[in-house]
Amino acid sequence: MTGVPASAAGGSGAKPVRGGKLGSAAVNQASLWNVANLLTMLRLVLVPGFVLLLLHNGGYDPAWRSFAWAAFAIAMITDLFDGHLARTYNLVTDFGKIADPIADKAIMGAALICLSYLGDLPWWVTGVILFRELGITLMRFWVIRHGVIPASRGGKMKTLAQGVAVGMYVLALTGPLATIRFWVMAVAVVLTVATGLDYVRQAVVLRRRGLAAGRVAAKAGAGTAVAEPGSESAAGASGGAGRGSAGSDVRGPAEAER
């Protein structure tokens, strides 16, 4: 026993549990320049390179579109790895929670706009997906003071469906594969709309809970005010012990609130 707290010795006193749930302290302790965040930054860097490859030589060269698909695939794979690494090795940061979806939307938005520009994908599909993604991103910032909306299982399925569908459109596919990619994109659009509505619901609930918690905290803070000596409140407090022992119900404002 040294009598020195673990925090003063340079540690938290307990080793992080691999794959365990993270508290706010663990989130704050993770370094900004960790491998998960670096992979997220790599995806952002890949966006302009992907656009140049896809539009090179008029945008219809199968070879260059294959190179563009490779860049797009790398971006999608790093999206899977950075989230897994962050959760497994306690590398979750507030930067990662915000930058990760932005990086996803940047590469996806660039691909959709380029494909519609080339005439491979209807503009309304691009519009629906981009409207949803931009709206959810703005909504995350709208409720960030009350909490962060994490990626849901449905959101992950949506991301996977969009990645597969867009990847198939980036490649110069013909015949039955071109028909298959149409239906894959249809599934992606349905998941995009459904998960978007679910995120709106989560944001409204999160904001209402945050505002309610703020009102309760304000009332509780007002109820802890100390009565001035000689006032009726002080006199009532001095006689409260006797009345309480007689079996009467004596409660302060904070207790009554509960």
Side-chain angles (χ1 to χ4, degrees):
M1 297 291 293
T2 62
V4 180
S7 58
S12 60
K15 295 181 179 180
V17 180
R18 180 169 177 171
K21 294 183 179 180
L22 302 179
S24 59
V27 172
N28 293 332
Q29 290 174 2
S31 171
L32 174 65
W33 299 100
N34 60 63
V35 64
N37 287 345
L38 290 176
L39 289 176
T40 299
M41 297 175 191
L42 173 63
R43 290 210 310 283
L44 290 171
V45 174
L46 281 173
V47 174
F50 164 78
V51 172
L52 291 176
L53 291 171
L54 182 59
L55 298 181
H56 186 75
N57 200 19
Y60 297 102
D61 189 323
W64 284 103
R65 292 190 70 147
S66 297
F67 294 143
W69 177 88
F72 183 81
I74 292 173
M76 293 294 101
I77 292 173
T78 56
D79 179 34
L80 298 177
F81 274 108
D82 63 359
H84 174 73
L85 290 172
R87 292 186 298 270
T88 302
Y89 297 102
N90 294 349
L91 301 177
V92 179
T93 63
D94 289 336
F95 169 81
K97 289 181 178 180
I98 300 300
D100 181 69
I102 291 178
D104 298 339
K105 292 168 179 54
I107 188 70
M108 187 63 65
L112 291 168
I113 292 174
C114 289
L115 289 172
S116 294
Y117 170 77
L118 294 173
D120 295 336
L121 191 67
W123 276 107
W124 72 264
V125 173
T126 296
V128 167
I129 295 177
L130 292 184
F131 178 79
R132 185 269 190 197
E133 302 299 346
L134 179 60
I136 296 303
T137 300
L138 295 177
M139 189 167 295
R140 286 177 183 270
F141 285 105
W142 179 54
V143 300
I144 195 171
R145 61 189 297 261
H146 304 294
V148 177
I149 303 176
S152 64
R153 187 183 301 273
K156 294 176 182 178
M157 292 177 59
K158 177 270 304 179
T159 300
L160 177 62
Q162 285 184 358
V164 173
V166 171
M168 295 180 72
Y169 271 89
V170 170
L171 289 172
L173 300 179
T174 57
L177 290 177
T179 303
I180 293 175
R181 72 180 182 182
F182 168 82
W183 291 107
V184 175
M185 180 60 74
V187 172
V189 171
V190 171
L191 289 175
T192 296
V193 175
T195 55
L197 295 175
D198 182 62
Y199 273 121
V200 171
R201 179 191 62 80
Q202 292 186 58
V204 171
V205 171
L206 182 62
R207 186 172 186 274
R208 286 179 178 175
R209 288 177 179 174
L211 294 175
R215 288 192 294 267
V216 171
K219 290 181 180 179
T224 57
V226 180
E228 295 182 1
S231 64
E232 293 183 3
S233 299
S238 63
R243 291 194 298 271
S245 61
S248 62
D249 184 15
V250 180
R251 297 180 297 172
E255 293 176 298
E257 188 67 30
R258 292 194 294 269

